Amino acid sequence: MTSTHSTRVDVVVIGAGLAGLTAARELVAAGRSVAVLEARDRVGGRLLNHDLGDGQVTEIGGQFVGPTQDHILALAKEVGVATYEAAVPCERVYVRDGKARRFAGHTPPDLLALPDMGIALARIGRAAGKVPPAAPWRAPNARDLDGMTYETWLRKAEVTGDAVDLINIFLNSAYGGEARDASALFSLWYVSTFGDEIHPGTMERGTGTSGGAQDSRFVGGSQLVATRLAEELDGRVHLSAPVRRISQDADGVTVVSDAGDWRADRVIVAVPPLLASRIVWDPLLPPQQDQLFQRLPFGTLMKCVAVYDTPFWRAEGLSGMGLLRGGSPIREMFDNSPPDGGPGVLMGFLGGKEWRKWAHRPAGERRGAVLRSFAQVVGERAYDTVDYVEQDWTAEQWTRGGPTSVAAPGVLTEYGEWLGRAFGRVHWAGSEFSPYWNGFMDGAVRSGRHTATELLHQS
Amino acid sequence: MTSTHSTRVDVVVIGAGLAGLTAARELVAAGRSVAVLEARDRVGGRLLNHDLGDGQVTEIGGQFVGPTQDHILALAKEVGVATYEAAVPCERVYVRDGKARRFAGHTPPDLLALPDMGIALARIGRAAGKVPPAAPWRAPNARDLDGMTYETWLRKAEVTGDAVDLINIFLNSAYGGEARDASALFSLWYVSTFGDEIHPGTMERGTGTSGGAQDSRFVGGSQLVATRLAEELDGRVHLSAPVRRISQDADGVTVVSDAGDWRADRVIVAVPPLLASRIVWDPLLPPQQDQLFQRLPFGTLMKCVAVYDTPFWRAEGLSGMGLLRGGSPIREMFDNSPPDGGPGVLMGFLGGKEWRKWAHRPAGERRGAVLRSFAQVVGERAYDTVDYVEQDWTAEQWTRGGPTSVAAPGVLTEYGEWLGRAFGRVHWAGSEFSPYWNGFMDGAVRSGRHTATELLHQS
């Protein structure tokens, strides 16, 4: 806890994810001296490339981008990272209770579930349209919506079990959970954030591949954007520097890390709210903000990646994309191969309830179950892996869950106004603080910019 | 983080609340060497006496005990702390929308709300009776009940708005929140814990004064039980020793605190789950346990205490007890005078939604509003205070909320089995871990005993 020396800068940024790095970039551009302190030995936060050898990578963290995510898209362009279309133009597979059916386009071939899903999307769209992305607690019926789970709301809206199950497949990856884990207000708000200032958020954009949030990927992997930003910051990013204590006084802020102490006029905390609340604060966080952070747990998400010599499924007219219902650990999967079609990569989300069932089982048993899911979508060759990798975000010390923070009933209406409210000389950034693409890369970049601007206007 | 010396004991107990002190007592009785590390400069955790002068005290933390709470009652007797009847045998006051009515007995004079309340209690009783206190996730309809808030369940059970409001008055103090903050399963389980192995839990016992959970108080204040336990432990309790890091290896556990390091065979962590999750763990907490602890936020509760020369209301036939509905910050209040009727003390709970409304307002404004509530119950002399004290448990660094931890939907069924599961050489204790009187003093004592026994059987 003691130290003999502290390094003086204008602003300390805590966390070298996209939000922190973006904020630091803006501050440096405005002439401020900045130190970015990162707990891990790498940058990128919830973005993580996995090396496939021969200069090829795939991602085992956040990876998709799409239209209306202009902030991350423009930033990537600025640092020289290109995008490519994520979806392979081949057929997808819909598995229900073990029976696989191929289909073209976005719409799974389920005559029973589809009309229900259409009605559900219309009702969700109408309700989400009334929730203001920047202040969901001001929605006309905010208090009612925040008194129930999203599962309850869906049932009240007469969304059928079939449609709820399909929605849960999406929430499995989007929340690392299910409709019951979040309040109705949070969930409708979340839909309202799938857009920008001009394009109102829609469920279709959030769940979509071409034209939606899963439209594109980054050449070189999403983490490359963070790596390039860190390179630009040229020595200002300090790795393996977990912050243990933040002390504010009348003259400035002292930040105590395992890699030394820093002294700054202002601090941007750009780590998830949960982790921010685990830092020692002096003075303490305001009770309302601490209470809010107590109520923003992470979902549970693991990415399971199988590597093959080639994307063999494409030759059979398959895109590698699958939706699986009825007991398989993987409920949503994608072709995650690099752009030039070298090794073939399949990636499945093991999230929410399935994570809770599978995460503590023996690794071999889980791998077998995951490859069985993959085999239902691309056939028996799914077992012929060159490599198999799992990334369990709940086991990562400096994330402890994934993909984002989810609010249960009662949280947004009672504490939402404290989200992002500066605490003395301490400002907040991170995807969880963004009114658009909250929980996505674009939200992180937006938030980093917003907070840098807020800070520059105040000092 | 570094230290040159660590003190060696058989067991380190972290937290000198009732659970930790009880566990330490049992371990010492079994011949183990023990060190109790307490972050505060006092023992008692969520129990806190307030000195009224002249050897008199009142409580600004947990204070009530009643029948079936045999563990705390027996323990208090053993350490020489007597009980006395909490309720003054005079009339109570029911305030609705500013109109006050006196009444005798337990039942507020509200012809509209009462029949509803009777039906509500019957329905709650029937549903709670099906929830096993030691494993609520095994209730026959656990998954359904855990998919909705308690508010949703009450509405589905056709409990009227009037009855929900009365139930929320109780939850205001019991949860520091409302029915929407908790899952239906958690809430029905909570009712099932208002009893013991022989007497099934009932809402009536949880909310009752004479014969219920608010039956009695301790002479000398509830914290005296903890103080006596600490005296018995004779030098084994180390104050101002917040624990920052817990490291386990094959041979034992190292506990790093601000007051030095300890080395032990085993550790009992007897602080609330939220605070346990803010310690640095090496190795990390298992993901499932960390996820559970991410999902056990504290409620919000402040105790407001006004002191008078005498309990003047008694001469007017008033018990000082009041139930207030319709916008007053205090919704439930009690005569909190010491047993021999020296100074008069009124105590009101400012919890849940009202805390969220009032906690950040100027102290003088809040004091005025609280005394206005008191005046509605005991008359204008309520303003003639000798002293006025507030204890905001959310602002306490080593609690950060009150009175207990509350689980939102999806938590008990998905993570409940991890509650209290030992992590290597680390065992858990605290009121949150008890199947009876969870969140109460009795639950803390039960849990401390249970965990000490578990540990003694394993080492």
Side-chain angles (χ1 to χ4, degrees), chain A residues 12-16 35-42 236-245 255-262 271 279 398:
Chain A
V12 164
V13 176
I14 301 172
V36 181
L37 307 185
E38 167 56 46
R40 293 180 164 101
D41 60 1
R42 63 166 184 85
R236 293 179 182 91
V237 180
H238 304 265
L239 300 178
S240 303
V243 167
R244 306 297 181 177
R245 181 185 287 267
V255 178
V256 177
S257 89
D258 288 3
D261 298 358
W262 272 262
V271 302
I279 295 170
W398 302 114

Side-chain angles (χ1 to χ4, degrees), chain B residues 280-302:
Chain B
V280 176
W281 290 88
D282 174 27
L284 293 180
L285 284 177
Q288 292 85 350
Q289 211 147 29
D290 193 276
Q291 284 283 331
L292 173 63
F293 291 1
Q294 289 183 31
R295 286 166 171 75
L296 290 175
F298 263 109
T300 51
L301 192 62
M302 187 187 283

Side-chain angles (χ1 to χ4, degrees), chain B residues 326-359:
Chain B
S328 57
I330 302 297
R331 307 191 68 197
E332 196 179 14
M333 60 176 282
F334 295 89
D335 180 334
N336 230 35
S337 310
D340 52 5
V345 181
L346 292 176
M347 181 276 288
F349 288 112
L350 199 163
K353 201 170 45 150
E354 295 300 328
W355 178 91
R356 293 154 205 176
K357 185 171 159 191
W358 286 98

Side-chain angles (χ1 to χ4, degrees), chain B residues 30-91:
Chain B
R32 303 303 163 102
S33 62
V34 174
V36 181
L37 307 185
E38 167 55 45
R40 293 180 164 100
D41 59 1
R42 64 166 183 85
V43 300
R46 285 169 260 181
L47 307 183
L48 182 55
N49 282 358
H50 176 71
D51 190 356
L52 295 168
D54 294 330
Q56 307 266 28
V57 301
T58 189
E59 291 111 329
I60 49 179
Q63 60 176 71
F64 292 116
V65 286
T68 76
Q69 299 182 351
D70 298 336
H71 287 251
I72 176 65
L73 290 168
L75 178 66
K77 207 170 212 176
E78 281 172 46
V79 298
V81 178
T83 58
Y84 67 104
E85 204 179 327
V88 180
C90 293
E91 287 188 318

Side-chain angles (χ1 to χ4, degrees), chain A residues 1 143 146-149 151-152 178 180-181 244-245 274 277-278 280 284-288 290-291 294-295 297-300 353 355-356 359-360 394-395 397 400-401 408-410 413-415, chain B residues 1 143 146-149 151-152 178 180-181 244-245 274 277-278 280 284-288 290-291 294-295 297-300 353 355-356 359-360 394-395 397 400-401 408-410 413-415:
Chain A
M1 300 302 170
R143 189 161 160 83
D146 210 27
M148 64 183 87
T149 63
E151 181 175 308
T152 297
E178 288 180 86
R180 52 176 47 204
D181 296 342
R244 306 297 181 177
R245 181 185 287 267
L274 169 76
S277 75
R278 292 180 175 180
V280 176
L284 293 179
L285 284 178
Q288 291 85 351
D290 192 275
Q291 284 283 330
Q294 290 182 31
R295 286 166 171 74
F298 263 109
T300 51
K353 201 170 46 148
W355 178 91
R356 293 154 205 176
H360 59 285
T394 70
Q397 177 169 19
R400 296 250 69 177
T413 47
E414 296 291 310
Y415 299 103
Chain B
M1 299 303 171
R143 186 157 164 87
D146 211 28
M148 64 182 87
T149 64
E151 182 175 307
T152 296
E178 289 180 86
R180 53 175 47 204
D181 296 342
R244 305 297 181 177
R245 181 186 288 265
L274 168 76
S277 75
R278 292 179 175 180
V280 176
L284 293 180
L285 284 177
Q288 292 85 350
D290 193 276
Q291 284 283 331
Q294 289 183 31
R295 286 166 171 75
F298 263 109
T300 51
K353 201 170 45 150
W355 178 91
R356 293 154 205 176
H360 60 285
T394 69
Q397 179 170 16
R400 297 250 71 174
T413 47
E414 296 290 311
Y415 299 103

Side-chain angles (χ1 to χ4, degrees), chain B residues 211-403:
Chain B
Q214 284 69 236
D215 182 276
S216 303
R217 293 172 61 202
F218 288 115
V219 179
S222 55
Q223 194 191 0
L224 184 57
V225 179
T227 311
R228 291 272 167 86
L229 285 171
E231 282 163 11
E232 263 193 14
L233 286 168
D234 194 21
R236 294 180 181 90
V237 180
H238 304 265
L239 300 178
S240 303
V243 167
R244 305 297 181 177
R245 181 186 288 265
I246 298 174
S247 307
Q248 299 190 57
D249 55 50
D251 304 320
V253 192
T254 300
V255 178
V256 176
S257 90
D258 288 3
D261 297 358
W262 271 262
R263 177 81 183 163
D265 289 333
R266 289 186 178 265
V267 166
I268 293 177
V269 175
V271 303
L274 168 76
L275 297 184
S277 75
R278 292 179 175 180
I279 296 170
V280 176
W281 290 88
D282 174 27
L284 293 180
L285 284 177
Q288 292 85 350
Q289 211 147 29
D290 193 276
Q291 284 283 331
L292 173 63
F293 291 1
Q294 289 183 31
R295 286 166 171 75
L296 290 175
F298 263 109
T300 51
L301 192 62
M302 187 187 283
K303 268 183 140 182
C304 301
V305 170
V307 184
Y308 306 90
D309 285 327
T310 63
F312 59 84
W313 49 90
R314 296 181 186 177
E316 292 160 40
L318 287 170
S319 65
M321 288 177 61
L323 282 180
L324 299 92
R325 294 179 61 193
S328 57
I330 302 297
R331 307 191 68 197
E332 196 179 14
M333 60 176 282
F334 295 89
D335 180 334
N336 230 35
S337 310
D340 52 5
V345 181
L346 292 176
M347 181 276 288
F349 288 112
L350 199 163
K353 201 170 45 150
E354 295 300 328
W355 178 91
R356 293 154 205 176
K357 185 171 159 191
W358 286 98
H360 60 285
R361 301 252 185 108
E365 191 190 329
R366 190 171 53 243
R367 179 179 186 275
V370 168
L371 294 181
R372 258 194 308 284
S373 295
F374 288 179
Q376 290 185 299
V377 171
V378 300
E380 294 294 308
R381 288 176 66 187
Y383 296 107
D384 305 337
T385 56
V386 172
D387 195 9
Y388 176 81
V389 183
E390 291 177 341
Q391 171 69 11
D392 183 357
W393 285 95
T394 69
E396 284 273 306
Q397 179 170 16
W398 302 113
T399 312
R400 297 250 71 174

